[in-house]
Amino acid sequence: MNSIKRPLLLSLGLVLATALATQAHTLRVLVNRPVVEQGKKGTVYLSYGHLLPVDELIDAEALALLQLHTPTGSVKPLAMTGKSLHANEVIFDEPGLYQAATARKPLIYCTYTDASGKPAFARVPKSEFKLPEGGKFVLGAKGHQYSKALILCGETSSQAPAPLGHTLEIVVESQPGKQGYSADAPVKARVLFQGKPLAGVKVDAASTTLSPDGLPETAAETDSEGRVTLELPEPGTWILNVTYKRDSAPADRQAFDIESYVATFAIPIAEDK
């Protein structure tokens, strides 16, 4: 596969837009027991915001899907109700690798600074945006978010988790052990955009144990084949995260200037004995 090179983003307002992006809420799907015995229960839930493992609630109306991919390839929809963590109790009755997955519905919004210079945003396309008095328009954007969590159940047959086909996706190519990935060995991953390797993007990783503020503990940039290697030395759940931005298509310029994609993947790191 040919790798995708990052396009040049609009230079106007890029610094401010990046600052706003760092303040944006991140959607993550997590599980309370990422390593579980066959036939036992676990809870899949959503984390939304900045703090780990949970922060704010998210409305079901904002979500496109919440599902569980089983080791045999079936896909089970999970319940999404009201404004909540959308916690689902699941019985893991098949041995192997499960993946919980969620995605947010695309969101179109405008970023600007108010009269005091504070960054702000409005959930409307450029064509409907009315700039407050004293404000300064930055740019319009369309945001996409995808998230996965890996669950190991019983015998995993020494396989790596398969890609799910999200538009932007982190695929871990390392094979986990029975209790997760080793804290003493680097984790190898690949970033795919529309199924093709994505070069030159930063993948960071935050530990739910070390990073309650949600800030990353480590980061690395993908190579020409979209691959990256990360050292994750603390046992527990680590959340890999990648953001990719590109200019909007000419037909969409009336509504937004850029498209922003975010993908996360929660994986278990075992305590080596």
Side-chain angles (χ1 to χ4, degrees):
M1 291 187 291
N2 294 326
S3 64
I4 298 173
K5 295 183 179 179
R6 297 190 69 184
L8 291 176
L9 298 177
L10 296 175
S11 59
L12 178 61
L14 180 57
V15 174
L16 280 172
T18 302
L20 282 164
T22 62
Q23 299 173 0
H25 282 33
T26 301
L27 175 64
R28 313 173 185 92
V29 61
L30 298 174
V31 62
N32 69 325
R33 299 175 66 188
V35 180
V36 62
E37 295 179 10
Q38 185 177 354
K40 297 296 184 179
K41 297 179 180 179
T43 301
V44 175
Y45 63 96
L46 298 186
S47 170
Y48 182 62
H50 305 286
L51 305 181
L52 292 174
V54 294
D55 192 352
E56 300 182 20
L57 308 179
I58 184 170
D59 198 316
E61 291 297 321
L63 301 173
L65 61 89
L66 179 57
Q67 55 193 206
L68 185 69
H69 294 250
T70 73
T72 53
S74 63
V75 180
K76 299 180 179 180
L78 301 178
M80 302 181 290
T81 307
K83 191 172 184 179
S84 66
L85 298 178
H86 306 283
N88 281 255
E89 188 176 70
V90 176
I91 298 176
F92 296 98
D93 50 7
E94 299 176 19
L97 302 182
Y98 287 80
Q99 293 185 76
T102 191
R104 183 180 177 128
K105 295 176 183 176
L107 176 65
I108 297 176
Y109 57 95
C110 290
T111 59
Y112 65 98
T113 56
D114 62 20
S116 67
K118 181 179 179 181
F121 75 98
R123 296 185 180 185
V124 294
K126 287 171 57 180
S127 57
E128 300 177 15
F129 177 67
K130 295 182 179 180
L131 185 66
E133 184 176 354
K136 183 178 180 180
F137 180 77
V138 179
L139 54 75
K142 184 176 183 179
H144 311 259
Q145 291 200 44
Y146 308 89
S147 182
K148 306 184 298 183
L150 180 64
I151 304 102
L152 281 60
C153 179
E155 295 295 328
T156 60
S157 303
S158 299
Q159 58 184 333
L164 301 184
H166 295 168
T167 303
L168 180 66
E169 185 170 13
I170 300 172
V171 180
V172 175
E173 297 185 318
S174 302
Q175 297 177 353
K178 291 183 178 180
Q179 299 300 314
Y181 294 96
S182 171
D184 290 338
V187 171
K188 297 180 179 180
R190 198 176 202 186
V191 177
L192 303 177
F193 181 73
Q194 297 178 341
K196 297 180 180 180
L198 186 59
V201 290
K202 184 180 73 173
V203 178
D204 61 49
S207 162
T208 58
T209 303
L210 298 176
S211 313
D213 55 7
L215 297 177
E217 294 291 329
T218 187
E221 187 173 293
T222 59
D223 63 15
S224 61
E225 292 299 319
R227 289 190 167 92
V228 67
T229 300
L230 295 166
E231 301 281 350
L232 309 177
E234 177 73 12
T237 297
W238 283 76
I239 301 173
L240 312 185
N241 178 92
V242 63
T243 299
Y244 172 59
K245 297 177 182 179
R246 66 176 185 176
D247 293 338
S248 61
D252 294 324
R253 297 283 164 81
Q254 293 295 320
F256 51 90
D257 302 302
I258 66 169
E259 286 196 82
S260 173
Y261 298 82
V262 178
T264 70
F265 195 7
I267 61 173
I269 300 298
E271 183 173 2
D272 290 324
K273 298 180 180 179

